[in-house]
Amino acid sequence: KFAFLSMGSAQIMIEEINGHWETGALSYPFGRGINFQIEVDCVDSLYKNIKANGYPIKVEMKESWYRASNKLVGQKEFLIMDPDGYLLRFAQDLGIKPL
């Protein structure tokens, strides 16, 4: 009982608890402290689609700029939480700018 999901070059497999892959005791939310960043070509259309289908947004769409050495690396991003508690961060590259 699993699903293999792909969008562009991003791929992820999700699977129900089955007794084969657990590395410790499991309790909800399973994804505490983890977020998976999935880069997409058009984050706006994905965001609109998810909202139109009534799926809850954990962190609304925003622009974020992260320091990397002597520059800033930007992305437009939003986060959802999957049914098991994992955070999925969908992001689109905004490029680089100087500090």
Side-chain angles (χ1 to χ4, degrees):
K1 296 182 177 179
F2 70 93
F4 182 79
L5 310 170
S6 66
M7 182 171 61
S9 61
Q11 300 175 336
I12 188 169
M13 185 173 79
I14 56 176
E15 185 169 10
E16 287 186 13
I17 296 171
N18 62 20
H20 298 298
W21 302 107
E22 290 83 23
T23 58
L26 296 175
S27 62
Y28 184 85
F30 300 120
R32 290 184 292 280
I34 294 175
N35 79 71
F36 295 100
Q37 179 165 306
I38 302 164
E39 290 189 17
V40 297
D41 292 329
C42 187
V43 74
D44 289 315
S45 64
L46 180 60
Y47 178 78
K48 288 175 189 171
N49 188 346
I50 288 173
K51 286 202 66 118
N53 284 285
Y55 198 87
I57 304 293
K58 184 75 173 170
V59 175
E60 293 291 335
M61 182 79 78
K62 65 179 183 175
E63 257 189 40
S64 297
W65 292 88
Y66 301 100
R67 184 180 180 150
S69 297
N70 61 347
K71 60 189 173 207
L72 294 173
V73 177
Q75 61 187 38
K76 193 172 186 181
E77 62 190 18
F78 72 95
L79 286 83
I80 61 171
M81 186 164 43
D82 82 355
D84 290 325
Y86 291 94
L87 289 174
L88 305 179
R89 176 193 311 248
F90 295 98
Q92 181 176 346
D93 181 40
L94 293 176
I96 296 171
K97 64 183 181 181
L99 283 172

